[in-house]
Amino acid sequence: MASQKRVHTTAASRLRQDYLRILKDPVPYITALPLPSNILEWHYVVRGPENTPYSGGYYHGKLVFPKDFPFKPPRIFMITPNGRFKVNTRLCLSISDFHPDTWNPAWSVSTILTGLLSFMVETSPTLGSIDTSEFQKRQFALRSGPFNLQDKIFCELFPDMVEEIREKMKERGEMREGDETTSQNNSNREGGVAGATREGQNGLISSTLVNICVIIGFAAFAYTVKCVIKAVDNS
């Protein structure tokens, strides 16, 4: 148990160092960071390089590191449809857990991401890769932004990219100014309806109370008149 904890601590320490290194020296075309709740799971976004079928695309994926990293390699996944890799499938690369025999503990997260990008822009096949035309890959690139906006983790981890995607969609006429506030307007509308309902209910209660007071007033007045008449008759 103590040994396992020590190995996990080693992995966390190494990954924190790699994160600081990436902040200081970012990997070209790639943004990556760990989940706030789990440093062993990293999410990355590849911006499609110019002069490739992926240009203009945003390709979200994740790296899942073992507890004994850096002595064993991570699992690598692509989440965004891209025309190159199957989505949500372990990729068979020399830098992934499919090939522990070729793994080098000196390799960092930056090394892994650089290798992933290099393989992505190539055409050589491997387990987890697919064969699509350049036209299809360009179509995937255009659809990658809207696809990622539906991913909660993507939106939470990469807010700057979310805004960038929305701006591009507006430029292409795929999103209007009011689209971003639709849910907020619906919420306000629901709140307005609820408020109007409450106001109507309060008005009904107030009207009922007034009517009751009027009835009681008339009854008291009639009783008083009756008492006066009876007193006069007795006199």
Side-chain angles (χ1 to χ4, degrees):
M1 183 65 69
S3 176
Q4 291 180 351
K5 184 176 181 180
R6 185 168 57 254
V7 170
H8 191 185
T9 302
T10 301
S13 176
R14 171 63 180 273
L15 289 170
R16 280 193 290 269
Q17 292 176 14
D18 283 0
Y19 181 52
L20 293 175
R21 188 178 296 113
I22 284 178
L23 290 177
K24 184 178 179 180
D25 187 17
V27 179
Y29 300 106
I30 301 179
T31 301
L33 69 163
L35 286 179
S37 59
N38 182 11
I39 199 170
L40 295 179
E41 181 174 324
W42 285 52
H43 285 253
Y44 65 84
V45 179
V46 176
R47 293 173 183 267
E50 301 85 357
N51 303 317
T52 72
Y54 311 103
S55 178
Y58 299 82
Y59 304 97
H60 174 209
K62 66 180 179 180
L63 309 174
V64 181
F65 293 91
K67 292 182 178 180
D68 45 5
F69 180 81
F71 305 106
K72 289 185 179 179
R75 288 177 288 162
I76 304 177
F77 300 86
M78 185 69 79
I79 297 171
T80 306
N82 52 87
R84 171 60 166 145
F85 301 119
K86 295 178 182 178
V87 297
N88 299 312
T89 300
R90 288 167 59 213
L91 302 181
C92 178
L93 306 173
S94 60
I95 51 176
S96 74
D97 65 332
F98 266 95
H99 295 285
D101 53 316
T102 62
W103 171 253
N104 186 339
W107 289 344
S108 64
V109 174
S110 296
T111 306
I112 296 166
L113 295 173
T114 300
L116 172 65
L117 177 61
S118 177
F119 191 81
M120 182 174 178
V121 297
E122 293 177 359
T123 57
S124 53
T126 189
L127 184 64
S129 67
I130 52 180
D131 184 20
T132 53
S133 68
E134 289 198 0
F135 174 79
Q136 290 173 311
K137 290 174 182 175
R138 286 193 290 268
Q139 295 305 303
F140 279 118
L142 289 173
R143 295 195 295 268
S144 64
F147 177 89
N148 289 325
L149 292 185
Q150 301 175 43
D151 188 306
K152 182 179 178 181
I153 293 179
F154 178 91
C155 293
E156 289 178 351
L157 294 181
F158 309 103
D160 292 344
M161 228 167 278
V162 168
E163 290 304 313
E164 190 176 313
I165 291 170
R166 285 175 174 165
E167 288 301 319
K168 286 189 176 183
M169 291 176 66
K170 288 176 186 176
E171 291 174 4
R172 296 198 298 259
E174 298 172 2
M175 176 181 285
R176 298 186 300 273
E177 291 289 343
D179 290 348
E180 298 178 44
T181 57
T182 299
S183 59
Q184 182 178 353
N185 290 339
N186 289 338
S187 177
N188 291 339
R189 192 179 302 116
E190 291 171 1
V193 171
T197 301
R198 286 193 296 271
E199 289 178 5
Q201 291 173 342
N202 292 338
L204 180 60
I205 293 172
S206 298
S207 177
T208 303
L209 290 175
V210 169
N211 291 336
I212 291 173
C213 289
V214 170
I215 293 171
I216 293 174
F218 275 118
F221 178 74
Y223 178 76
T224 301
V225 170
K226 182 179 179 181
C227 290
V228 170
I229 293 173
K230 184 176 181 181
V232 170
D233 291 339
N234 290 336
S235 62

